[in-house]
Amino acid sequence: MIEFRQVTKRYDSDHTALAQVNFSLNRGELAFLTGHSGAGKSTLLKLIMVMERPSAGEVVVGGQLLNRLPRRQIPYIRRHIGVVFQNHQLLFDRTVFDNVAMPLEVMGASPRDIGRRVRAALDKVGLLNKEKMNPMQLSGGEQQRVGIARAVVNKPPVLLADEPTGNLDPELSADIMNLFTRFSQVGVTVLIATHDIGLVNEMDRRTLTLDHGRLIAGGSSPLQGAAG
Ligand code: ADP
Ligand code: ADP
């Protein structure tokens, strides 16, 4: 579902953010992405979201080579990728329901479809009873779950998370991880960037480790065979 082939990313000529990264994630796989600050985690996620383009190598998502994807097709690709942020980026001037509905409204879904899909997403994160509330009235863990509902509301095959438990205590972090696990069980490919080594160890899942832009563990490639 996600494949990096010898991917290098340079923002400027003398600095390499990612160097010859190889890995592939299957449908329904859940993996972590770890590494020190500046290791290249955000860059790797941005390449999947087509917010950046590789300097060399190939990025393939859902069978589609993203390198030379025409600009006009980027919004279409992004619909297939749900993204969860640390600071959840909810809007406090509207209800929980309206926050989750945003991606569907952008796509021009019908009100009936929006109602059905938003409630299905809120149900999956256990917040069906809070749809009329303002996100400000919710706890940090609940706000993060609203962010997750918004990320999955149009059923993307890929879910990316950037430090999704950064502001949460261990118990709430475990709840969020259980949600991610459940999405992977229904076939969603989940990649979670995190510094939280305790959490990574507890989950015992495949872990891609970046060090100064190099993938030093968890990778695999068609060229080199499985490694790490
Ligand atoms: P991480 O998410 O692991 O902290 P990043 O992917 O943000 O790492 O950064 C990897 C490297 O690329 C760092 O050295 C960072 O300074 C550099 N970098 C990231 N974004 C840019 C940018 N837009 N322009 C120039 N350098 C960047
Ligand atoms: P529908 O309205 O199409 O019946 P549901 O929301 O009831 O949709 O979901 C149908 C099934 O699809 C559920 O088991 C759900 O968990 C699963 N599913 C598949 N892909 C995703 C995804 N990306 N996000 C959320 N659920 C998904």
Coordinates of all heavy atoms in Angstrom, one line a residue, residues 137-177:
Q137 N -15.3 21.7 24.9 CA -15.9 21.1 26.1 C -15.4 19.7 26.3 O -15.7 19.1 27.3 CB -17.4 21.1 25.9 CG -18.1 22.4 25.8 CD -19.5 22.2 25.4 OE1 -19.8 22.1 24.2 NE2 -20.4 22.2 26.3
L138 N -14.5 19.2 25.5 CA -14.1 17.8 25.6 C -12.7 17.7 26.2 O -11.9 18.7 26.2 CB -14.0 17.2 24.2 CG -15.3 17.2 23.4 CD1 -15.0 16.5 22.0 CD2 -16.4 16.5 24.1
S139 N -12.3 16.6 26.8 CA -11.0 16.4 27.3 C -10.0 16.2 26.2 O -10.4 16.0 25.0 CB -11.0 15.1 28.1 OG -11.2 14.0 27.3
G140 N -8.7 16.2 26.5 CA -7.6 16.1 25.5 C -7.8 14.8 24.7 O -7.6 14.8 23.5
G141 N -8.0 13.7 25.5 CA -8.2 12.4 24.8 C -9.4 12.4 23.8 O -9.3 11.8 22.7
E142 N -10.5 13.0 24.3 CA -11.7 13.0 23.4 C -11.4 13.9 22.2 O -11.8 13.6 21.1 CB -12.8 13.6 24.2 CG -13.4 12.6 25.2 CD -14.4 13.2 26.2 OE1 -14.4 14.4 26.4 OE2 -15.3 12.4 26.7
Q143 N -10.7 15.0 22.4 CA -10.4 15.9 21.2 C -9.6 15.1 20.2 O -9.8 15.2 19.0 CB -9.6 17.1 21.7 CG -10.5 18.1 22.5 CD -9.7 19.3 22.9 OE1 -8.5 19.4 22.8 NE2 -10.5 20.2 23.5
Q144 N -8.6 14.3 20.7 CA -7.8 13.5 19.8 C -8.6 12.5 19.0 O -8.4 12.3 17.9 CB -6.6 12.9 20.5 CG -5.6 12.3 19.7 CD -5.0 13.2 18.6 OE1 -5.7 13.6 17.7 NE2 -3.7 13.6 18.8
R145 N -9.6 12.0 19.7 CA -10.5 11.0 19.1 C -11.4 11.7 18.0 O -11.7 11.0 17.0 CB -11.4 10.2 20.1 CG -10.6 9.1 20.7 CD -10.9 8.8 22.1 NE -12.3 8.4 22.3 CZ -13.0 8.4 23.5 NH1 -12.3 8.9 24.6 NH2 -14.2 8.1 23.6
V146 N -11.8 12.9 18.2 CA -12.5 13.7 17.2 C -11.6 13.8 16.0 O -12.0 13.6 14.8 CB -13.0 15.0 17.7 CG1 -13.6 15.8 16.6 CG2 -13.9 14.9 18.9
G147 N -10.3 14.1 16.3 CA -9.3 14.3 15.2 C -9.2 13.0 14.4 O -9.1 13.0 13.1
I148 N -9.3 11.9 15.1 CA -9.2 10.6 14.4 C -10.4 10.3 13.6 O -10.4 9.8 12.4 CB -8.9 9.4 15.4 CG1 -7.5 9.6 16.0 CG2 -9.0 8.1 14.8 CD1 -7.2 8.7 17.2
A149 N -11.6 10.6 14.2 CA -12.9 10.4 13.4 C -12.8 11.2 12.1 O -13.2 10.8 11.0 CB -14.1 10.9 14.3
R150 N -12.3 12.5 12.2 CA -12.2 13.3 11.0 C -11.3 12.7 10.0 O -11.5 12.7 8.8 CB -11.8 14.7 11.4 CG -11.7 15.7 10.2 CD -11.2 17.1 10.6 NE -9.9 16.9 11.2 CZ -9.3 17.9 11.8 NH1 -9.9 19.1 11.9 NH2 -8.2 17.7 12.4
A151 N -10.2 12.1 10.5 CA -9.2 11.5 9.6 C -9.7 10.3 8.8 O -9.3 10.0 7.7 CB -7.9 11.1 10.3
V152 N -10.7 9.6 9.5 CA -11.2 8.3 8.8 C -12.6 8.4 8.2 O -13.1 7.5 7.7 CB -11.1 7.1 9.8 CG1 -9.7 6.9 10.4 CG2 -12.2 7.3 11.0
V153 N -13.1 9.7 8.3 CA -14.6 9.8 7.9 C -14.8 9.4 6.5 O -15.9 8.9 6.2 CB -15.1 11.2 8.2 CG1 -14.5 12.2 7.3 CG2 -16.6 11.2 8.3
N154 N -13.9 9.6 5.6 CA -14.1 9.1 4.2 C -13.4 7.8 3.9 O -13.2 7.5 2.8 CB -13.8 10.2 3.2 CG -12.4 10.7 3.3 OD1 -11.6 10.1 3.9 ND2 -12.2 11.8 2.6
K155 N -13.1 7.0 5.0 CA -12.6 5.7 4.9 C -11.3 5.6 4.0 O -11.3 4.8 3.0 CB -13.7 4.7 4.3 CG -14.8 4.5 5.3 CD -15.3 3.1 5.1 CE -16.7 2.9 5.4 NZ -17.1 1.6 4.9
P156 N -10.3 6.4 4.4 CA -9.1 6.3 3.6 C -8.4 4.9 3.8 O -8.4 4.4 4.9 CB -8.2 7.4 4.2 CG -8.7 7.5 5.6 CD -10.2 7.2 5.6
P157 N -7.8 4.4 2.8 CA -7.0 3.1 3.0 C -5.7 3.3 3.7 O -5.1 2.3 4.2 CB -6.7 2.7 1.5 CG -6.9 3.9 0.7 CD -7.8 4.8 1.4
V158 N -5.3 4.6 3.9 CA -4.0 4.9 4.6 C -4.3 5.9 5.7 O -5.0 6.9 5.5 CB -3.0 5.5 3.6 CG1 -1.7 5.9 4.4 CG2 -2.6 4.4 2.6
L159 N -3.8 5.6 6.9 CA -3.9 6.6 8.0 C -2.5 6.9 8.5 O -1.8 6.0 8.9 CB -4.8 5.9 9.1 CG -5.2 6.7 10.3 CD1 -5.9 8.0 9.9 CD2 -6.0 5.9 11.2
L160 N -2.2 8.2 8.5 CA -0.9 8.6 9.0 C -1.1 9.4 10.3 O -2.0 10.2 10.4 CB -0.2 9.6 8.0 CG 0.0 9.0 6.6 CD1 0.7 10.1 5.7 CD2 0.9 7.8 6.6
A161 N -0.2 9.2 11.3 CA -0.4 10.0 12.5 C 1.0 10.5 12.9 O 2.0 9.8 12.9 CB -0.9 9.1 13.6
D162 N 1.0 11.8 13.2 CA 2.3 12.5 13.6 C 2.2 12.8 15.1 O 1.4 13.7 15.5 CB 2.5 13.8 12.8 CG 3.9 14.2 12.8 OD1 4.7 13.7 13.5 OD2 4.2 15.2 12.1
E163 N 2.9 12.1 15.9 CA 2.9 12.2 17.4 C 1.5 12.3 17.9 O 1.1 13.2 18.7 CB 3.7 13.5 17.8 CG 5.1 13.5 17.4 CD 6.0 12.6 18.3 OE1 5.5 12.1 19.3 OE2 7.2 12.4 17.9
P164 N 0.6 11.3 17.6 CA -0.8 11.4 18.0 C -1.0 11.4 19.5 O -2.1 11.7 20.0 CB -1.4 10.2 17.3 CG -0.3 9.2 17.2 CD 0.9 10.0 17.0
T165 N 0.0 10.9 20.3 CA -0.3 10.8 21.7 C 0.6 11.7 22.5 O 0.8 11.6 23.7 CB 0.0 9.3 22.2 OG1 1.4 9.0 21.9 CG2 -0.9 8.3 21.5
G166 N 1.2 12.7 21.8 CA 2.2 13.6 22.4 C 1.7 14.3 23.6 O 2.5 14.5 24.5
N167 N 0.4 14.6 23.7 CA 0.0 15.4 24.9 C -0.9 14.6 25.8 O -1.5 15.1 26.7 CB -0.9 16.6 24.4 CG -0.1 17.6 23.6 OD1 1.1 17.8 23.9 ND2 -0.7 18.1 22.6
L168 N -0.8 13.2 25.6 CA -1.8 12.4 26.4 C -1.0 11.5 27.4 O 0.1 11.2 27.2 CB -2.5 11.5 25.5 CG -3.4 12.2 24.4 CD1 -4.0 11.1 23.5 CD2 -4.4 13.1 25.0
D169 N -1.7 11.2 28.5 CA -1.1 10.3 29.5 C -1.1 8.9 29.0 O -1.8 8.6 28.0 CB -1.7 10.5 30.9 CG -3.1 10.1 30.9 OD1 -3.5 9.1 30.2 OD2 -4.0 10.7 31.6
P170 N -0.3 8.0 29.6 CA -0.2 6.6 29.1 C -1.5 5.9 28.9 O -1.7 5.2 27.9 CB 0.7 5.9 30.2 CG 1.5 7.0 30.8 CD 0.6 8.2 30.8
E171 N -2.5 6.1 29.8 CA -3.7 5.3 29.7 C -4.5 5.8 28.5 O -5.0 5.0 27.7 CB -4.5 5.6 31.0 CG -5.6 4.5 31.1 CD -6.3 4.7 32.5 OE1 -5.6 5.0 33.5 OE2 -7.5 4.6 32.5
L172 N -4.6 7.1 28.2 CA -5.3 7.6 27.1 C -4.5 7.3 25.8 O -5.1 7.0 24.8 CB -5.4 9.2 27.2 CG -6.4 9.6 28.2 CD1 -6.4 11.1 28.4 CD2 -7.8 9.2 27.9
S173 N -3.2 7.3 25.9 CA -2.4 6.9 24.7 C -2.7 5.5 24.3 O -2.9 5.2 23.1 CB -0.9 7.0 25.0 OG -0.5 8.3 25.4
A174 N -2.9 4.6 25.3 CA -3.2 3.2 25.0 C -4.6 3.1 24.3 O -4.8 2.3 23.4 CB -3.2 2.4 26.3
D175 N -5.5 3.9 24.7 CA -6.9 4.0 24.1 C -6.7 4.3 22.6 O -7.4 3.7 21.7 CB -7.8 5.0 24.7 CG -8.3 4.6 26.1 OD1 -8.1 3.4 26.4 OD2 -8.8 5.4 26.9
I176 N -5.9 5.4 22.4 CA -5.8 5.8 21.0 C -5.1 4.7 20.2 O -5.5 4.5 19.0 CB -4.9 7.1 21.0 CG1 -5.6 8.3 21.7 CG2 -4.5 7.5 19.5 CD1 -6.8 8.8 21.1
M177 N -4.1 4.0 20.8 CA -3.5 3.0 20.0 C -4.4 1.8 19.7 O -4.4 1.2 18.6 CB -2.3 2.4 20.8 CG -1.1 3.3 20.8 SD -0.6 3.7 19.1 CE -0.1 5.4 19.3

